[in-house]
Amino acid sequence: MSVSTRPLLLGAGTALAAVVALSGCTQKAASEDDALRVTATDSACEVSAKDFPAGHVTLNVENKGSKVTEVYLLFPDDRIVAERENIGPGTKASLVAEVKAGDYQIACKPGMKGDGIRQKVEATGKGKAPARSAEADAAVASFRSYVLAQAEQTLPRAQAFADAVKAGDVEKAKELYAPSRIGWERTEPVAESFGDIDPKVDVREDGLEEGQDPAKDWTGWHRLEKALWDEGKIGDREKELADQLMKDLEDWVQRVGTAEITPTSMANGAKELLDEVATGKVTGEEERYSHTDLVDFKANLEGAAKSYELLKPVAGKNDPELVKTLDERFAALTELLDEYRTDKGEEPDSYTYVSYDKVGKADRKELSDGVNALAEPLSKLSAAVAK
């Protein structure tokens, strides 16, 4: 393994915040007749029924367009109940969610940009809300507490980073950049459920919407990352952005307690975090200037593991073989990632990892294979907890 020894700080612990109830899993509906079919094209978002019984709902999504698309289930105020990203042209996905009675919108986003093509739908009260076991209720309660703790713990780390930026201290800001993101990365699906926060704090330049000006509209961590590593300087604009970052993160902390959390959203959020690793961290795209990708990787993995561990008492009763496989795959990927640690001490709150630009092509493929090996069985967790 050809790697650098440049340290990257990472707090220990495991976490996940996932309110999305529709995520990157591919599952069979219990009955094709009961499933809600969503057909996405480049110009339409067709839904097979405009109302359906509340409870455990299966959506069978097919992308018949020429562009990669996303499908969202939204509250009327645009909070995200559930989402499924990266649905390629000509592909299908079946998604399981726990949905309360009420009005919603389903949005398809061809090209994964904009507000999407929307359809109004209603979850009716005809179907009883799914009965939860004591174990499932305990998992949700523990997870909610964890999400709140992660958000609150992010603020002082982010403030230290912002203070270094405002002081014009490039090297100190570089040192504090990755640690400031750990809580966010562990709980990203919950943060993304508030659709207006993620684009402010965690968007990359190529993720800006059409017509947005990077000089004026690009804010958040990655804009500061570029200034620190690519430009090597801090100007008045960056100091303003540091204050804006803190304002947006404080907004996130205030709202995170209102997130909708269910056993299926926790399970699907775990899979979504693995998808984040596969599409952004293993590729090196997320932290393209700082190369702190393995810090994010670790935080995403910890998040997925936290959700899984809380749901294991439920899933173990319904699908013990799945639990056995997930135990093995989580352990294997954790062990593989730990090969890239540069500190071998026992300090629980700080890990150091190699700079990702020093990780070779073969090693990146090995990491990718490990992620995929875990993602496949993890995609079945929501079905296991919904039984």
Side-chain angles (χ1 to χ4, degrees), residues 60-299:
N60 287 341
V61 182
E62 181 174 8
N63 182 5
K64 291 187 175 181
S66 63
K67 301 176 181 178
V68 176
T69 196
E70 299 173 335
V71 173
Y72 288 78
L73 181 64
L74 302 168
F75 287 111
D77 61 2
D78 268 10
R79 282 180 300 134
I80 299 171
V81 180
E83 66 177 304
R84 171 69 156 93
E85 300 178 348
N86 297 302
I87 306 172
T91 64
K92 299 178 181 180
S94 293
L95 313 160
V96 178
E98 181 179 316
V99 181
K100 295 178 181 179
D103 294 327
Y104 299 90
Q105 294 184 80
I106 291 177
C108 303
K109 293 189 179 183
M112 301 197 296
K113 296 280 188 177
D115 292 332
I117 305 162
R118 301 191 178 201
Q119 297 282 357
K120 292 182 179 180
V121 295
E122 179 186 4
T124 67
K126 297 175 184 177
K128 293 182 178 179
R132 288 187 193 165
S133 65
E135 292 91 344
D137 279 337
V140 169
S142 295
F143 184 67
R144 186 176 296 280
S145 296
Y146 192 89
V147 169
L148 288 167
Q150 287 298 303
E152 291 169 355
Q153 291 168 17
T154 295
L155 286 183
R157 289 180 174 182
Q159 188 64 66
F161 168 67
D163 288 345
V165 171
K166 291 167 64 178
D169 191 335
V170 172
E171 293 307 313
K172 185 67 172 178
K174 284 183 177 181
E175 177 186 337
L176 297 173
Y177 169 76
S180 75
R181 291 174 48 75
I182 294 167
W184 175 274
E185 289 292 330
R186 287 173 175 161
T187 62
E188 193 165 5
V190 168
E192 288 179 345
S193 72
F194 307 103
D196 60 328
I197 295 179
D198 184 74
K200 294 178 182 178
V201 305
D202 198 34
V203 71
R204 303 192 299 263
E205 186 172 8
D206 54 6
L208 294 173
E209 297 290 343
E210 185 176 351
Q212 287 189 303
D213 182 356
K216 295 187 298 182
D217 302 320
W218 188 17
T219 61
W221 271 301
H222 292 304
R223 170 62 181 84
L224 293 169
E225 178 202 5
K226 182 177 182 181
L228 293 170
W229 275 272
D230 188 51
E231 300 165 4
K233 61 182 180 180
I234 297 172
D236 290 341
R237 176 57 176 162
E238 285 70 39
K239 294 176 183 180
E240 293 173 357
L241 290 172
D243 281 333
Q244 185 62 50
L245 175 65
M246 290 309 303
K247 185 179 298 185
D248 292 333
L249 289 176
E250 287 164 1
D251 181 26
W252 163 53
V253 171
Q254 289 296 317
R255 285 200 268 171
V256 73
T258 68
E260 290 287 327
I261 298 174
T262 67
T264 53
S265 78
M266 291 169 60
N268 286 318
K271 174 58 166 57
E272 185 182 340
L273 284 174
L274 263 291
D275 290 343
E276 288 279 340
V277 174
T279 59
K281 281 67 175 186
V282 170
T283 62
E285 294 177 64
E286 179 81 6
E287 307 291 357
R288 61 191 63 175
Y289 305 110
S290 66
H291 305 300
T292 57
D293 302 271
L294 293 180
V295 176
D296 292 354
F297 188 146
K298 179 66 171 179

